[in-house]
Amino acid sequence: EIASSAPIQLLLKEQVARVNARVSTTEQIKRYAVLARDLEIEKDEITPTGKLKRDVVTANYRAVIDGLYTPEALDKKSGS
């Protein structure tokens, strides 16, 4: 998958660093995850106008979200 390729991961890391340079420490992105697919209206994850349905996304991606807060992820403090 293209999202997990090394060039894309490097690009994401560079973009996050660029954004983080413009905001305070408390506003910075510390950890992130790239999902395997886009969020979909058909899976009730977003509305027809593109608004995120947080409760549905949280339920669907609980393992991914929890993984961002494991001791290993907290030590790493970078995107995955």
Side-chain angles (χ1 to χ4, degrees):
E1 177 179 316
I2 193 164
S4 61
S5 69
I8 298 299
Q9 290 296 317
L10 179 60
L11 179 64
L12 285 170
K13 192 172 189 172
E14 290 170 350
Q15 292 299 317
V16 168
R18 184 178 305 163
V19 169
N20 282 348
R22 297 189 317 230
V23 298
S24 71
T25 303
T26 58
E27 297 174 308
Q28 290 180 353
I29 299 167
K30 306 288 194 279
R31 295 169 299 281
Y32 60 90
V34 178
L35 301 178
R37 63 173 179 78
D38 290 340
L39 300 177
E40 300 178 20
I41 294 171
E42 294 79 15
K43 294 190 184 288
D44 201 37
E45 296 167 331
I46 56 173
T47 67
T49 59
K51 295 177 186 141
L52 183 71
K53 293 187 176 183
R54 291 182 187 274
D55 56 337
V56 175
V57 173
T58 299
N60 290 354
Y61 291 99
R62 171 57 56 201
V64 175
I65 295 166
D66 288 346
L68 293 173
Y69 297 95
T70 63
E72 297 82 20
L74 294 174
D75 289 340
K76 187 175 166 186
K77 294 193 180 189
S78 65
S80 58

